[in-house]
């Protein structure tokens, strides 16, 4: 391992290590207005939800590493106590990037990015029409994390209204990640597009309890074949099959294949059969195959 | 748009809307110990970095929506003031899922997930050997965001040591997202794998200033062909080409193609030529092609 003492490296390098490790980050595309009502729009990826009751989101507008200046968003939200956080989907990410340019105060990032401001219901800052989801927010508190370049602020906001484009929800009113097509921020110039083949579904109940890795047979724990993820799927089962269940879990073809798995390398052969069952989501069958090894 | 008043819907539904909108979220795989040194390991996706100077990360261990109980991680960090935040890469995500099961206090999630504890350098909680990056953390402050089920806490931590697996950095010591292969959390049972084709590179300097959408020719602003992302790429240019530069930016083949783009639909034909240039990253050439329309 490479060990890094944060106090011994330049802030810009530490910043990049944090951005590369704490990823992918959701993007808050934050709309604010100054005391004269002039709108500002800027993306921030030091952002997340932190509570659902009350609904709290937090983002940071950091002091610039280069010159220790603060940003218009921070000034505006301090003055007015309001913001709209818009989600960033793939179709608007290049226009979002234009809004990240350091235009002087008073220049509208809506005009520069070509995105369309539409009125909010509760707060003064406008929403971004092209964004698939908008959260109208009221400022609760700002916590300052430091005084030098790179220092963040926790801008703690309560969500007072949510707007969702009909096109991103399924008929059961649930958000579909493929339809949302969100972009996440990685380190350097990298983003991730969170849709399509990049989406994985992992259904792991937190209750009832899973058997756990420690309850797996010894030859499974130390499998020369199965990956950590495959062992995780087995460890995540609610119950390891009993001796009496094995017959029902295995088809005639399975039994024949197990019978044919002979020495040399019988262990490997049986573990490969289990892997095949796991790859088609037949977790109980995989466990039954592995139980036939002894 | 669908408009949602957070106060008018059940907490569990509001929770899912927040999880679907604020995504993809980085995962903090948090290792703590209780006052007797018994380790605990649990994943949290209400998590992000918020400052690089000082290096501050924040995560929330929420009160459970179902029964308003709090989690061992919160108890442990309140007692001991220390944690290790481990990154979650694709190869360990199923073992991470097992560690999310609500085992009773005292049961080791290291044993249940089959992940390997290794000693930290500064803090008592162990690191996860199989994780590609570990951040040893000292607690700065806990801010309570509510008293009922679904309420979060801001667990504000300073990173006092970073460990990175050599295998995830390039020869210039920069983190490579494909090698890190991180998992991000989406809503419901969805995760995103942030590597491979899902990674997009967007190089948009914040200085010098970009021309902006408002400076694009009128026919480009209202293009019947170009997408918002394509307009964003053009708006993100430092300079729109001068009349005098066009000749040098266009090859003979380009000039011939523009010459052949005749009515009807001359505008569409020329915009399609520009799109082709954009698709091969020839942004200046695309602008020059569009300049030939008038």
């Amino acid at each position: 391992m490479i060990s890094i003492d944060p106090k011994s490296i330049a802030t810009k390098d530490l910043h990049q290590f944090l951005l590369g490790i704490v990823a992918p980050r959701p993007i808050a595309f934050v709309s604010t207005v100054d005391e004269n009502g002039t709108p500002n729009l800027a993306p921030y990826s030091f952002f997340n939800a932190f509570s659902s009751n009350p609904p709290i989101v937090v983002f940071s507008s950091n002091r610039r590493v280069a010159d220790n200046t603060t940003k218009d968003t921070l000034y505006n939200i301090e003055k007015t106590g309001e913001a709209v956080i818009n989600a960033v989907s793939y179709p608007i990410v290049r226009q979002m990037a234009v809004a990240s340019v350091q235009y002087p105060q008073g220049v509208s990032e809506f005009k520069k990015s070509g995105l369309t401001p539409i009125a909010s219901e509760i707060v003064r800052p406008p929403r971004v029409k092209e964004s698939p989801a908008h959260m109208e927010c009221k400022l609760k508190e700002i916590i300052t994390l430091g005084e030098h370049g790179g220092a963040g602020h926790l801008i703690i906001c309560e969500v007072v209204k949510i707007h969702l484009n009909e096109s991103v929800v399924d008929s059961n009113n649930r958000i579909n990640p493929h339809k949302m097509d969100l972009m996440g921020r990685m380190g350097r110039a990298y983003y991730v597009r969170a849709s399509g083949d990049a989406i994985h579904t992992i259904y792991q109940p937190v209750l009832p309890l899973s058997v756990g890795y420690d309850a797996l047979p010894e030859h499974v724990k130390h499998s020369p074949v199965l990956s950590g993820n495959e062992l995780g799927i087995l460890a995540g089962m609610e119950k390891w099959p009993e001796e009496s269940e094995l017959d029902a879990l295995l088809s005639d073809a399975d039994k024949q294949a197990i019978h044919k798995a002979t020495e040399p390398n019988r262990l490997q052969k049986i573990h490969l059969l289990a892997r095949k069952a796991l790859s088609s989501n037949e977790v109980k069958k995989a466990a039954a195959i592995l139980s036939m090894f002894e």
Side-chain angles (χ1 to χ4, degrees), chain A:
Chain A
M1 303 290 282
I2 302 164
S3 287
I4 299 158
D5 173 4
K7 293 198 196 308
S8 74
I9 63 171
T11 297
K12 69 177 174 47
D13 297 329
L14 177 58
H15 188 64
Q16 285 300 335
F17 281 122
L18 289 172
L19 296 182
I21 294 169
V22 183
R25 298 184 302 283
I27 303 172
F29 200 13
V30 181
S31 160
T32 53
V33 294
D34 68 14
E35 57 273 62
N36 304 315
T38 308
N40 187 280
L41 183 64
Y44 295 94
S45 75
F46 282 179
F47 163 58
N48 214 326
F50 281 93
S51 175
S52 45
N53 178 25
I56 299 288
V57 294
V58 179
F59 71 97
S60 177
S61 174
N62 281 21
R63 288 178 168 274
R64 296 190 179 95
V65 175
D67 60 6
N68 192 20
T69 54
T70 58
K71 297 180 186 174
D72 297 342
T73 300
L74 180 63
Y75 176 88
N76 288 352
I77 201 164
E78 275 176 335
K79 288 283 176 191
T80 67
E82 296 180 342
V84 178
I85 296 179
N86 303 276
V88 176
S89 56
Y90 175 74
I92 64 169
V93 69
R94 295 300 309 226
Q95 289 172 280
M96 177 220 77
V98 176
S100 73
V101 172
Q102 290 185 20
Y103 292 109
Q105 200 176 0
V107 171
S108 162
E109 289 83 6
F110 279 99
K111 286 192 181 137
K112 285 292 170 192
S113 64
L115 293 165
T116 313
I118 54 172
S120 295
E121 286 185 20
I122 297 177
V123 301
R124 281 158 292 175
R127 301 179 278 146
V128 175
K129 185 184 170 198
E130 293 82 357
S131 160
H134 321 139
M135 297 188 291
E136 297 188 34
C137 296
K138 296 256 193 190
L139 177 67
K140 300 271 285 185
E141 193 181 351
I142 298 178
I143 297 173
T144 300
L145 299 172
E147 298 303 327
H148 304 289
H153 303 81
L154 299 180
I155 303 174
I156 305 173
C157 298
E158 181 164 349
V159 178
V160 293
K161 191 98 187 189
I162 294 171
H163 306 271
L164 265 179
N165 196 304
E166 286 90 349
S167 67
V168 301
V169 298
D170 289 329
S171 56
N172 56 9
N173 228 18
R174 292 181 172 189
I175 291 173
N176 180 322
H178 301 287
K179 296 177 178 175
M180 278 289 271
D181 202 3
L182 292 172
M183 297 300 287
R185 195 73 175 88
M186 312 289 294
R188 310 230 169 243
Y190 302 115
Y191 290 74
V192 64
R193 184 175 182 177
S195 62
D197 288 345
I199 300 289
H200 291 240
T201 303
I202 298 177
Y203 185 67
Q204 172 67 65
V206 297
L207 282 176
L209 303 182
S210 308
V211 290
Y213 173 87
D214 53 336
L216 300 179
E218 284 301 315
H219 69 94
V220 176
K221 281 189 200 174
H222 307 292
S223 174
V225 170
L226 300 173
S227 69
N229 278 333
E230 288 165 332
L231 295 176
I233 293 169
L234 294 166
M237 295 176 72
E238 190 185 335
K239 215 173 128 300
W240 190 261
E242 307 277 345
E243 189 82 27
S244 62
E245 297 172 280
L246 300 182
D247 193 58
L249 285 168
L250 298 168
S251 69
D252 287 346
D254 295 328
K255 288 171 194 166
Q256 219 161 20
I258 293 164
H259 186 73
K260 276 201 218 156
T262 51
E263 296 294 358
N265 302 323
R266 181 168 167 252
L267 175 79
Q268 280 84 343
K269 289 172 185 167
I270 287 185
H271 283 219
L272 284 169
L273 290 173
R275 162 175 285 177
K276 202 174 155 209
L278 287 173
S279 74
S280 48
N281 274 323
E282 299 180 287
V283 184
K284 278 185 179 176
K285 177 185 280 193
I289 292 168
L290 292 165
S291 295
M292 297 296 283
F293 176 68
E294 309 292 350

